[in-house]
Amino acid sequence: MPEAPLQPSEAGHFADIEALFQPTHDEVARQRFVSALRKHVLVDKAADMKTAYETVERPSYAKKEGHAPRDLNEIREAMLHDPTFAVYSAMRVNAQEMTWQSVSDAVERKLPEMVAVAREAARLNPAGGSLRTDPLFKPPAYVADIDVHHIPGSFTAELMPDDVAIGAVAAHGTKVFSGGLAHRRGNPGAVAESVAHFLKRACPDFKPRRILDCGTGIGKNLAPYREVYPDAELYGIDVAAPGLRYGHACFEVQGIPLHLSQQNAELTDFPDGFFDLIVSSFFFHEMPVASTKATLRENHRLLAKGGRLAHMELPPNSEVDPYTAFVLDWDCYYNYEPDYADYRAQEPVQLCVDAGFSPATCWQRFIPNWRTFGDKDLARFVANEIPAPPYGNGSWFIFGARK
Ligand SMILES: C[S@@+](CC[C@H](N)C(=O)[O-])C[C@H]1O[C@@H](n2cnc3c(N)ncnc32)[C@H](O)[C@@H]1O
């Protein structure tokens, strides 16, 4: 039964929705096991798979076809029946499913309280942010009709009024998901932190007044912009209401005002030229390429003159070697992300040009993960004195443009 809604404390503080997540000892043990299992698959099993490719499958393919695999599709063909690929894939799918399962019971136990706290935060906005959701909004099929990332119900499922469950599961599950990865562990906003510090170094005169994060989820990759651009207003849009409600409550209690609204990034209700900076993280690869193109055209409309885009995404095929491209495309086939490979086959700069940006203002590059690289080395990176770490070892791929 739902308990009585929580009230603001006498000190004027509001209940912390994240603190309501109280996994038991056994649940924490399970979460740690899943983080370790993912690391084992992504490091050890991936290494076994690469050895099998180099020593068995590539020579065998070359013998049969008269040439070694030339691209990611031929590598995939060579690997499809390899036992190390089967083990890697089966374990990775299981770890993915277990990620969300490992946090679900703890969310369900406190769900009525979480909903009450989120409602209260949305009514009172103690930090000065805002939340707009629309009960008539229909999320696109590419998010709502498949269990993206194996999240049961995808990002969008709502089983009760003002539901926050999937938002909480995705937020806590993502910590389990990245628990074994050094540059993301304990730092959910690592992408935003890295992009923001890079922009500040690379474009010292750029001072955005309004920043928009597309596909913001719970807004965790929006909040770090506040450190770097303290005067900017922060906006986030997403088609999924549960994450927006959950994230809004998280950041209101931390005193970080985010303006979150349920909208499709392909066509928003913001006026022309409303933003100076538009960002996103892990966003475009989950939508059809036609929707990516529509979103970038909408980004162009929303940017003020001189405004900038800086989207973090998976690197395209042209930026990685064919074997890495084959491994990256795994998610397209086994992680309910059917548009992943099509997206990665595009050239981000060309996508920006097609959306209306002048070619001379468009760019793409790897940037270092800020916290592990450090500010001093970031300055040297921006001055072209040192490179970013190799992909997979603490760097992010980003692309952008200026209007
Ligand atoms: C992989 S999640 C990334 C969330 C967040 N940016 C992060 O870095 O953790 C992709 C998000 O994009 C949202 N999304 C997908 N298509 C969208 C669209 N057309 N407009 C707005 N949000 C969308 C999904 O609901 C989901 O929250």
Side-chain angles (χ1 to χ4, degrees), residues 140 142-143 148-149 155-156 174 191 213-218 220-221 237-240 263-266 280-283 285-287 291 295 337:
Y142 56 80
V143 186
V148 178
H149 299 163
F155 297 104
T156 47
T174 304
V191 171
D213 182 27
C214 300
T216 199
I218 65 163
K220 69 176 192 287
N221 268 313
I237 54 173
D238 202 287
V239 292
Q263 300 201 51
N264 189 330
E266 294 178 53
S280 71
S281 48
F282 300 108
F283 171 58
H285 68 269
E286 285 170 18
M287 55 168 60
S291 300
T295 298
E337 296 173 273

Side-chain angles (χ1 to χ4, degrees), residues 82-365:
D82 183 86
T84 61
F85 180 64
V87 169
Y88 170 90
S89 299
M91 287 179 76
R92 197 167 157 191
V93 166
N94 276 280
Q96 187 76 20
E97 289 175 342
M98 287 157 72
T99 294
W100 317 116
Q101 283 165 6
S102 74
V103 298
S104 293
D105 287 353
V107 170
E108 266 178 41
R109 275 199 303 278
K110 291 285 184 175
L111 187 54
E113 286 169 65
M114 288 185 184
V115 168
V117 168
R119 275 193 189 130
E120 200 62 355
R123 189 173 71 83
L124 297 165
N125 292 304
S130 62
L131 175 69
R132 277 197 288 148
T133 56
D134 175 359
L136 299 178
F137 181 84
K138 197 170 163 359
Y142 56 80
V143 186
D145 289 4
I146 47 173
D147 287 351
V148 178
H149 299 163
H150 293 268
I151 299 179
S154 190
F155 297 104
T156 47
E158 297 192 50
L159 304 179
M160 62 191 290
D162 297 333
D163 201 351
V164 299
I166 295 290
V169 166
H172 293 286
T174 304
K175 291 178 202 159
V176 174
F177 179 84
S178 43
L181 310 174
H183 62 286
R184 293 178 69 185
R185 186 172 36 223
N187 184 16
V191 171
E193 194 178 68
S194 305
V195 174
H197 283 278
F198 167 73
L199 284 177
K200 192 178 167 198
R201 283 267 171 208
C203 320
D205 298 332
F206 180 55
K207 302 238 169 1
R209 291 158 306 165
R210 293 194 200 98
I211 301 174
L212 173 67
D213 182 27
C214 300
T216 199
I218 65 163
K220 69 176 192 287
N221 268 313
L222 192 52
Y225 285 95
R226 189 172 154 84
E227 304 268 308
V228 176
Y229 298 117
D231 298 328
E233 291 173 16
L234 304 177
Y235 292 75
I237 54 173
D238 202 287
V239 292
L244 294 173
R245 294 188 189 110
Y246 187 81
H248 174 262
C250 287
F251 289 106
E252 283 293 323
V253 83
Q254 291 176 34
I256 300 177
L258 302 185
H259 301 284
L260 302 180
S261 56
Q262 187 178 22
Q263 300 201 51
N264 189 330
E266 294 178 53
L267 187 63
T268 71
D269 63 9
F270 298 115
D272 291 0
F274 194 64
F275 294 102
D276 304 301
L277 174 61
I278 299 182
V279 296
S280 71
S281 48
F282 300 108
F283 171 58
F284 290 112
H285 68 269
E286 285 170 18
M287 55 168 60
V289 170
S291 300
T292 292
K293 291 183 173 177
T295 298
L296 289 171
R297 281 196 300 272
E298 177 69 354
N299 283 181
H300 186 268
R301 179 185 78 77
L302 293 177
L303 276 183
K305 188 95 186 92
R308 291 172 187 271
L309 286 188
H311 292 296
M312 173 269 158
E313 250 304 345
L314 296 154
N317 290 330
S318 57
E319 292 277 357
V320 291
D321 64 83
Y323 184 83
T324 303
F326 149 73
V327 176
L328 279 173
D329 272 4
W330 184 92
D331 300 64
C332 177
Y333 298 97
Y334 310 109
N335 207 28
Y336 288 119
E337 296 173 273
D339 298 302
Y340 199 103
D342 276 354
Y343 168 73
R344 289 191 47 267
Q346 309 299 309
E347 292 299 340
V349 160
Q350 189 58 46
L351 288 169
C352 292
V353 172
D354 293 347
F357 292 94
S358 154
T361 72
C362 301
W363 51 272
Q364 61 186 57
R365 65 188 302 187

